[in-house]
Amino acid sequence: MTRHDNALRATVEATAAGTHRLVGADGGHRYHGTVRIDDTLTPVPVDGDWTLTFEREGAEPVTAPLGSWTEHDALFSGSGTYTTDIDVDADRLRGRRVVLDLGDVRDVAEVSVNGTALPPLLWAPFAADVTGHVRAGRNTLRVRVANTLSNERKKPLPSGLLGPVTLRFRRRTTVELRRS
């Protein structure tokens, strides 16, 4: 935020279309303004089948919709990697920030987009900024998930990438807030 006489200039990030009321404060003064976002910022679900490969000797990949990996091996504790491809239109990327929202993850995740590894996601919300990594056209997403030792100790808990996985878009804009 920067102050100019009786106004503040703020750069904000919208996650949804509409008219948004904003309030700011500086030096004990309050400022108000509105910003109109016409961009729909419609999220894109990353649904369909994913390929899951458990990290253990002799593991065969399983292709299925997202869900707990206990459906495939109730007592597996360790790591598994989920892989899928998604097509993204160039117009959807233009001028927007892109966030990959993994939904429910049990218990920690590492994301890579088109071969670029991103920092680990250790707690909710399991979301990664993938701006600049997602490109127009076909994109490969890999999510490596590790669970606890509970399943191995015959106390199965939901594990893996449960989702839903969604690409979410955000639009930055600058708005002027007037002193009230």
Side-chain angles (χ1 to χ4, degrees):
M1 262 195 278
T2 57
R3 187 173 49 178
H4 300 280
D5 297 323
N6 288 329
L8 288 180
R9 185 174 299 264
T11 300
V12 297
E13 193 169 81
T15 59
T19 301
H20 306 279
R21 295 179 193 269
L22 304 169
V23 177
D26 182 44
H29 299 288
R30 290 178 57 99
Y31 297 80
H32 297 279
T34 59
V35 62
R36 172 109 186 117
I37 303 295
D38 294 321
D39 188 338
T40 60
L41 300 172
T42 305
V44 173
V46 184
D47 49 14
D49 287 342
W50 288 67
T51 300
L52 166 62
T53 305
F54 291 114
E55 291 182 17
R56 67 167 175 225
E57 182 100 13
E60 291 292 324
V62 176
T63 300
L66 292 179
S68 178
W69 70 40
T70 57
E71 295 171 22
H72 307 290
D73 187 338
L75 301 180
F76 179 73
S77 288
S79 298
T81 300
Y82 294 81
T83 306
T84 195
D85 290 326
I86 181 173
D87 291 315
V88 181
D89 185 283
D91 288 338
R92 193 171 284 280
L93 297 175
R94 196 169 294 114
R96 295 176 173 160
R97 193 161 76 93
V98 185
V99 175
L100 178 65
D101 180 346
L102 299 179
D104 192 3
V105 173
R106 306 289 177 92
D107 285 289
V108 296
E110 294 176 331
V111 173
S112 98
V113 179
N114 298 320
T116 301
L118 302 175
L121 302 172
L122 305 177
W123 49 78
F126 292 97
D129 186 338
V130 295
T131 308
H133 303 293
V134 172
R135 59 181 178 247
R138 173 90 11 139
N139 292 271
T140 299
L141 305 178
R142 283 191 177 78
V143 181
R144 181 176 181 258
V145 178
N147 69 344
T148 68
L149 291 175
S150 181
N151 296 4
E152 186 176 289
R153 300 213 163 119
K154 299 189 174 33
K155 295 179 183 174
L157 295 173
S159 299
L161 179 57
L162 308 181
V165 177
T166 308
L167 279 181
R168 300 192 182 280
F169 301 94
R170 298 179 177 179
R171 171 79 64 192
R172 285 189 183 199
T173 188
T174 300
V175 62
E176 192 168 276
L177 307 176
R178 293 275 173 202
R179 193 152 126 194
S180 48

